[in-house]
Amino acid sequence: MNIDWSILEQRARLAANAAYAPYSHFHVGAALLTEDGRIFSGCNVENASFGLTVCAERNALFAAVAAGARRFAGLVVVTSNPQPVTPCGACRQVLHEFAPSFEVRCYGHAGEELITSCEELLPRAFVAADFRS
Ligand code: THU
């Protein structure tokens, strides 16, 4: 699949602008492309009860799954910091469930591009086969 990464980055930046992050002031946006060409975005949503915060990546994925998407082609994550960051451990596990091998591209605002995948970010992930044996 030929992916227009710049559109995904644009959508992720729009989502990051909508982040609700009054505690960390760290804005994150994610844009997820489905194999049938749809884009779902998400931002981090924080809470006064800090542990209830949900990351941008999981919000994007859950919106996609709620709309019936199961097969994904790529993910872009952008942050309000200069340097790119990769998805947190919880998001790696959740993304891996649906898309172990797709490309994940991460950007800050200083121009650096970090390209990776869930398999690389979470080697030996816990998978369904581990408890179905
Ligand atoms: N955050 C994300 O949205 N995605 C990540 O991959 C890392 C962390 C959010 C959660 C919280 O709102 C803020 O960044 C600081 O941890």
Side-chain angles (χ1 to χ4, degrees), residues 24 26 28 44 46 53 55-57 86-88:
S24 73
F26 185 60
V28 186
N44 52 329
E46 298 186 345
T53 292
C55 295
E57 297 88 330
T86 53
C88 79

Side-chain angles (χ1 to χ4, degrees), residues 19-30 42-47 50 53-59 77-79 85-89 91-92:
Y20 178 71
Y23 308 107
S24 73
H25 304 289
F26 185 60
H27 288 214
V28 186
C43 62
N44 52 329
V45 181
E46 298 186 345
N47 192 273
F50 294 169
T53 292
V54 182
C55 295
E57 297 88 330
R58 271 175 290 156
N59 278 331
V77 180
V78 305
T79 70
V85 300
T86 53
C88 79
C91 290
R92 291 175 193 199

Side-chain angles (χ1 to χ4, degrees), residues 2 10 15 25 34 44 46 68 73 79 85 87 97 102 105 116:
N2 199 18
Q10 227 171 45
H25 304 289
T34 65
N44 52 329
E46 298 186 345
T79 70
V85 300
E97 177 87 10
F102 74 3
R105 296 192 176 196
T116 184

